C-alpha cells in the first residue's frame, strides 16, 4: 500500500539510490533493477526515470558491470522499456549501442539475455 502512495520520481529514485548505497551487493542490484524494469512498463515511470538521470545511470551500470550476466540482463530490459517512449535518450545513443553490442557479444548464448 505504501508503494502506491509514492510518486513515480520517488519510487524510481529510491531504487537508483539503493544500488548506489550498496555498490557490492549484487542481490540488491538485481532486485532494484528488476523493480525499475517492471516500473518502466508505464510511461510516467519512464519519464521519471529519464528525468532522474536514468539513461546515463543505466548505461553506466552496463559499462561498469560487463561480466555480471544478471546486471546485463536487467540493464538490457531497462533499455528496451525506455525505448517504448516517453523518455527520450537520443544523446546517449552511441553509448547505448556500445553496451548492447558488448552484452550481446559476451552473453550471446545466455537464454536470459536473448529473451
Amino acid at each position: 500500500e505504501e508503494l502506491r502512495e509514492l510518486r513515480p520520481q520517488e519510487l524510481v529514485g529510491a531504487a537508483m539510490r539503493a544500488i548506489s548505497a550498496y555498490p557490492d551487493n549484487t542481490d540488491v542490484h538485481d532486485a532494484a533493477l528488476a523493480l525499475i524494469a517492471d516500473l518502466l512498463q508505464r510511461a510516467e515511470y519512464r519519464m521519471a526515470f529519464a528525468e532522474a538521470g536514468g539513461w546515463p545511470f543505466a548505461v553506466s551500470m552496463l559499462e561498469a558491470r560487463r561480466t555480471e550476466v544478471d546486471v546485463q540482463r536487467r540493464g538490457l530490459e531497462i533499455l528496451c522499456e525506455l525505448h517504448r517512449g516517453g523518455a527520450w535518450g537520443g544523446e546517449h545513443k552511441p553509448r547505448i549501442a556500445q553496451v548492447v553490442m558488448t552484452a550481446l557479444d559476451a552473453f550471446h548464448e545466455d537464454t536470459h539475455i536473448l529473451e
Side-chain angles (χ1 to χ4, degrees):
E1 186 66 33
E2 289 180 23
L3 286 179
R4 291 182 192 165
E5 295 175 11
L6 292 175
R7 294 185 352 250
Q9 295 85 351
E10 294 169 328
L11 193 50
V12 167
M16 291 169 67
R17 285 189 304 278
I19 292 168
S20 299
Y22 298 94
D24 299 321
N25 190 325
T26 57
D27 291 334
V28 170
H29 297 172
D30 190 49
L33 292 171
L35 173 62
I36 291 169
D38 287 345
L39 292 172
L40 294 181
Q41 292 177 25
R42 297 181 56 187
E44 64 268 23
Y45 288 96
R46 291 192 296 272
M47 291 185 325
F49 188 68
E51 290 169 4
W55 282 103
F57 173 83
V59 174
S60 294
M61 286 277 301
L62 288 164
E63 289 171 339
R65 294 176 172 85
R66 288 186 175 109
T67 61
E68 297 175 33
V69 68
D70 290 333
V71 170
Q72 295 295 307
R73 178 173 48 89
R74 297 287 189 203
L76 292 175
E77 287 176 31
I78 288 169
L79 293 178
C80 288
E81 289 298 334
L82 287 170
H83 277 285
R84 290 179 58 205
W88 175 246
E91 66 269 25
H92 304 289
K93 278 185 180 182
R95 287 178 67 202
I96 293 166
Q98 185 60 50
V99 296
V100 169
M101 288 175 38
T102 299
L104 292 176
D105 185 50
F107 302 107
H108 65 277
E109 294 179 11
D110 188 288
T111 56
H112 295 293
I113 292 289
L114 298 176
E115 291 176 354

